[in-house]
Amino acid sequence: MKKNKTTNVRVLAQLGLLAAIEIVMKLIGLGSVPVGPLYMSFLTVPIAVGAMTMGPVAGAILGGVFGLVSFKDALTGGSAMTSALFQVSPVNTFILCVAMRILMGWFVGLLFSLLRRVDKKGGWSYFAGALSAPLLNTLFFMGYIVLVFYNCEYIQNIVATNGAANPLMFVVVLVGMQGLVEAVVCCAAGGVITRAVASFLGQRAPAPARKTTPFEELPSEKT
């Protein structure tokens, strides 16, 4: 019982730390770099670390923190695109910013658990898991925009300006080089950090109890 309580406290502390890191990264401008109507975001790195070290639920919670920070930009005008989409549909913009990020964090944790079964030594799976975070973020975010907002005036203006012939071209043109840079940075940083954190937690874990024989349990005689 005491061990479970200690584990829960440690998990909550790790979640709180990673959530705080996300918020601080956003506040100091390190987490999101504006590029046109979108942001090149590195806030998926703490999400990937949490999802891979603590599981899908932790990834979903941290994704929700990312989503709330993103939705704040939609409310305050910090993001040109989400602010414009908020005027079209506040509810769908909330789903876009928050729900899609929760799904992203959840799936990063699930995918990593599957990869870890294959990668017994725990090497490349950390980098693959870290890479999945920005990729899934882009997939869910841009996918929902295409699904719900593609025909609105704001998106159609972007389509016409960039000469995108179809929704796929719209996504490719809009994401472009920034998506590649984001994926590379998040893969490298997330993979290295998560391996280090996992190694640290493994070293701190208590050693499994060793079975003793009845003779070993008896106190030794003093001579």
Side-chain angles (χ1 to χ4, degrees), residues 5-77:
K5 186 176 180 180
T6 302
T7 301
N8 291 336
V9 171
R10 187 177 70 177
V11 169
L12 289 175
Q14 292 169 12
L15 269 176
L17 177 60
L18 289 171
I21 289 173
E22 278 197 89
I23 295 172
V24 170
M25 286 175 66
K26 177 64 177 178
L27 290 176
I28 65 176
L30 181 62
S32 300
V33 180
V35 181
L38 291 178
Y39 278 89
M40 183 164 59
S41 177
F42 303 117
L43 293 177
T44 57
V45 173
I47 298 171
V49 174
M52 289 190 284
T53 56
M54 291 180 284
V57 174
I61 293 172
L62 293 168
V65 174
F66 177 18
L68 290 173
V69 169
S70 177
F71 188 65
K72 173 183 170 294
D73 286 340
L75 295 175
T76 60

Side-chain angles (χ1 to χ4, degrees), residues 61-142:
I61 293 172
L62 293 168
V65 174
F66 177 18
L68 290 173
V69 169
S70 177
F71 188 65
K72 173 183 170 294
D73 286 340
L75 295 175
T76 60
S79 168
M81 173 172 281
T82 55
S83 295
L85 298 180
F86 183 81
Q87 302 303 317
V88 177
S89 173
V91 173
N92 280 313
T93 303
F94 180 83
I95 295 173
L96 172 70
C97 294
V98 181
M100 293 300 103
R101 268 55 185 270
I102 291 174
L103 281 178
M104 178 266 292
W106 176 269
F107 275 101
V108 170
L110 288 179
L111 178 61
F112 177 73
S113 66
L114 294 175
L115 294 175
R116 195 66 178 81
R117 293 176 185 177
V118 179
D119 181 26
K120 301 295 184 182
K121 295 183 178 180
W124 58 266
S125 58
Y126 289 103
F127 293 93
L131 177 62
S132 73
L135 294 181
L136 288 172
N137 182 50
T138 299
L139 175 65
F140 288 136
F141 187 83
M142 295 305 298

